[in-house]
Amino acid sequence: MEFPHDIVGWIAVGSAVVTVLTAVVKVWIVNPLSTQIRELNGNFGALNTALSKSQTEIDELSKHLSQHDVTLATHGEQIHTLFNKNDK
């Protein structure tokens, strides 16, 4: 074989090998990782929704607890006033 044909042949073989390796990497690595990343993204979306709902519930419970704290403080003041009236 002559020199230019030999180089063209090796370039063709190299291109074929690179094409096959690219296809194998895509099928065995890229596609499964893409699937897992999409699934993980969906899981994070569900987790975000659940956390948002939980935060809303916590905020509502905090408001309710604050109302009870005010009521308890008022009752505490009333009890303190009653005991001070009885002491006089």
Side-chain angles (χ1 to χ4, degrees), residues 9-23:
W10 280 111
I11 290 173
V13 169
S15 297
V17 168
V18 167
T19 302
V20 168
L21 286 176
T22 302

Side-chain angles (χ1 to χ4, degrees), residues 15-81:
S15 297
V17 168
V18 167
T19 302
V20 168
L21 286 176
T22 302
V24 167
V25 166
K26 184 175 181 181
V27 169
W28 284 352
I29 297 174
V30 173
N31 289 343
L33 281 177
S34 295
T35 303
Q36 291 297 320
I37 288 171
R38 279 192 295 274
E39 182 180 330
L40 187 60
N41 193 23
N43 289 344
F44 278 131
L47 181 62
N48 232 0
T49 303
L51 285 174
S52 176
K53 182 179 177 183
S54 295
Q55 186 62 43
T56 302
E57 291 173 358
I58 289 172
D59 290 342
E60 289 175 11
L61 288 173
S62 179
K63 288 178 187 176
H64 191 67
L65 182 63
S66 294
Q67 291 171 350
H68 282 289
D69 285 343
V70 169
T71 303
L72 285 174
T74 304
H75 289 170
E77 289 174 9
Q78 289 172 347
I79 290 171
H80 188 265
T81 302

